[in-house]
Amino acid sequence: MDAYTLLETLGRLCGLAHEAATVEFKSNLDQADEIGAYLSALANSAALEGQNRAWLVWGVEDDSHQITGTRFDPFSRKVNGNQAFIMWLQQMTSPRADFAFHECPHPDGRVVLMEIYPARSAPIAFQNRRYIRIDSHKTLLSEHQDKEARLWAMLGQKEDWSGELAPGATLNDLDPDALNMARRQFVQYLTRSEPDSSRHAHIEDEACRWDLATLLNKARITKQGRITRAAILLLGKDEAAHFLAPADAKITWVLRDAKNITGPSQHFGIPFLGATEKVFGRIRNEMTDHMPDGSLFPTPLRWYDAWVIREALHNCMAHQDYGLGGKINVVEHPDRLVFSNLGQFIPPSVEWMLEHQSPPEHYRNQWLIDCMIRLRMIEQVGSGIRRMFEMQRARFFPLPDYVIDAADTGYPRVEVSITRQVLDAKYTQVLMKRADLDLKQVLLLDRVQKRRALSRDNVRELKALKLIEGRAPNYFISAKVAEWAGQKASYIRNRGLDDAYYQTLVVGYLQKYGKATRKELDDLILTKLPEVLDADQKQNKVRNLLQAMRRSTLIERTGPVSSPIWLLGPVKSFAKTQEASKA
């Protein structure tokens, strides 16, 4: 956007009688989380109001709309140490928000404009929370169900691709084996839904006499005898896939080695009913010895629970956005299975799914999901994800890892990893058995164990319960959890030691050898730093330590900056520092 257009836009916005649902003025707002929440609220409000842009403007007074200038600089702003603010903002939104910052050199002061495009495929969430503007106030979208329902409807989520008819398709395009399986599965659904067991034989007898058209209508797979896309997906012959074009109705299994090099692979097309068994047949699922807590005898367990694999794969089928033209992928690594599908994750977050016992109000493929429920492919009450977590917890295996991100094509993508290796057996057993931890807290501590990122709200909750310590992004289990799991030594290694300890090491080395290079000091200190720090963070810690000691004249630097030599400073200065630290 050129300077003239920027000034013209700024003038138009300042000329508004008051702030609107799609315009917000700030002077020097610099809190990253607040900016992210405004981004979500303004993007969703723009979609709801039918506007092609929303604006967050710095350097303008809220009440008078007078230009005063701002110190805020999004281009140089850093978060979490050294991460670029704009990139961080992108990563914290789901689906990825579309926005751009502009700097406008107005005569009355520097102004920064954030140009925000409206949500397209789904409401924009920031750190798994969706916001909206009510007049000029920012609030959670979930607190305004009428606006939330209207927003979903406007974004097209009410259009059910799976329930649309497949023009030209007939019963002859359905696979006979899949139809026989569908009859068996639907009969099981009917009998399990009938509490009076004396009626089960009658239900089974009646269902066996239905002709094919009646069966499919009663199972709500077809519509008055007409073939839906869901019917083709679940029951169609392989050669009937053209009825779904441009959707690529395939499940691809890929085997990768420890170096992530691709090995054998196989595509599985329609019918999807029964495809799970074929995919499962390719997955290596050997026995492993599991030692229950307090037992001297191993219990044999499969690497992966068959129900968990089934649920993960069927969730991909149910929630794939088939209009995006992508496949469902199952990638088998030496230590985990990774399932992925294209499409926005509709619930606010995985944590939300674990906390709430009811399913979300909206589904992408409602007709397909209803078909899969009646064919007993997925859970009826939307509890499949929660049950996956509970089953992994009961097996003392790591919990599923969800990644809600964008694919290389830019389309939204959901990925879930099922790990077969226990990272720390005792920690895992204690974590899974604690009755005073709910499933969400177990999930978050499981992420800490795996060194996964936590949202600000997650961190606040765990710290309030005294379950973790540390600073972003290097969190570690607290002393209380370490005591539960017998990890006191690991806790000390993660927490680290006081700087005075490291200073004593440096001074002692220089007293003995007279001088030291940076490499020699690295060799002295790096192995003693907290394990939670990565290699770069450890290097930064040593650099900051040496600079602090130099400023306090404990040590001196000589020689070129690129290869300095470190010497002792005044000894009395070190003694005073030690006395102060002891006090």
Side-chain angles (χ1 to χ4, degrees), residues 358-421:
S358 59
E361 290 77 9
H362 308 278
Y363 280 120
R364 177 178 296 107
N365 302 311
Q366 188 64 60
W367 189 267
L368 174 62
I369 288 171
D370 288 343
C371 293
M372 294 178 73
I373 289 172
R374 289 176 174 81
L375 297 182
R376 303 198 61 234
M377 297 175 72
I378 57 176
E379 293 290 306
Q380 183 166 1
V381 294
S383 60
I385 289 180
R386 182 181 180 88
R387 188 176 169 191
M388 285 171 61
F389 278 82
E390 289 173 340
M391 292 189 73
Q392 288 293 97
R393 183 181 187 179
R395 281 163 48 88
F396 298 100
F397 275 63
L399 302 182
D401 273 328
Y402 274 82
V403 176
I404 302 167
D405 207 336
D408 294 338
T409 58
Y411 293 135
R413 179 174 177 269
V414 178
E415 174 184 293
V416 59
S417 297
I418 310 296
T419 303
R420 70 170 181 84
Q421 291 182 336

Side-chain angles (χ1 to χ4, degrees), residues 179-313:
L179 288 169
N180 289 333
M181 185 176 180
R183 187 184 295 270
R184 293 193 300 271
Q185 295 295 103
F186 184 51
V187 169
Q188 288 182 22
Y189 168 80
L190 292 175
T191 55
R192 290 172 67 91
S193 302
E194 173 55 62
D196 185 358
S197 59
S198 65
R199 286 184 40 80
H200 289 182
H202 172 73
I203 292 172
E204 293 172 357
D205 182 63
E206 183 181 17
C208 288
R209 294 198 302 268
W210 290 335
D211 62 22
L212 192 55
T214 302
L215 168 70
L216 297 178
N217 277 338
K218 285 185 175 292
R220 301 184 193 175
I221 297 172
T222 56
K223 293 182 176 180
Q224 297 180 331
R226 293 177 293 178
I227 307 299
T228 62
R229 287 171 171 164
I232 297 292
L233 272 173
L234 297 177
L235 307 174
K237 295 177 180 177
D238 184 60
E239 58 268 27
H242 66 88
F243 288 112
L244 303 175
D248 189 7
K250 290 189 184 72
I251 303 168
T252 298
W253 167 83
V254 178
L255 181 65
R256 290 185 179 163
D257 63 18
K259 297 181 179 179
N260 207 33
I261 297 174
T262 300
S265 63
Q266 185 174 350
H267 298 296
F268 300 90
I270 59 173
F272 277 178
L273 181 64
T276 310
E277 294 299 324
K278 297 177 182 177
V279 176
F280 188 68
R282 294 306 309 262
I283 294 171
R284 296 169 300 172
N285 195 19
E286 300 178 12
M287 302 295 290
T288 184
D289 285 338
H290 170 62
M291 297 286 286
D293 193 23
S295 172
L296 297 177
F297 300 97
T299 300
L301 277 181
R302 293 285 181 187
W303 286 347
Y304 305 107
D305 180 82
W307 189 93
V308 171
I309 291 178
R310 166 189 175 274
E311 184 67 17
L313 186 51

Side-chain angles (χ1 to χ4, degrees), residues 472-502:
N474 304 311
Y475 299 109
F476 52 90
I477 61 172
S478 66
K480 178 170 71 173
V481 178
E483 186 172 355
W484 292 346
Q487 291 190 345
K488 297 177 184 177
S490 176
Y491 165 74
I492 293 297
R493 290 196 298 271
N494 279 324
R495 188 194 64 182
L497 301 165
D498 292 338
D499 281 354
Y501 169 77
Y502 302 117

Side-chain angles (χ1 to χ4, degrees), residues 30-41:
D30 192 48
Q31 289 82 15
D33 288 345
E34 272 293 291
I35 295 171
Y38 273 113
L39 170 58
S40 167

Side-chain angles (χ1 to χ4, degrees), residues 436-438 440-442 444-445 457-469 478-481 484:
D436 52 341
L437 296 177
D438 64 31
K440 179 186 174 185
Q441 292 161 357
V442 172
L444 297 179
L445 287 174
D457 286 343
N458 296 155
V459 171
R460 189 180 297 114
E461 176 180 347
L462 293 181
K463 284 198 170 184
L465 296 170
K466 301 187 184 305
L467 296 176
I468 62 169
E469 297 176 21
S478 66
K480 178 170 71 173
V481 178
W484 292 346

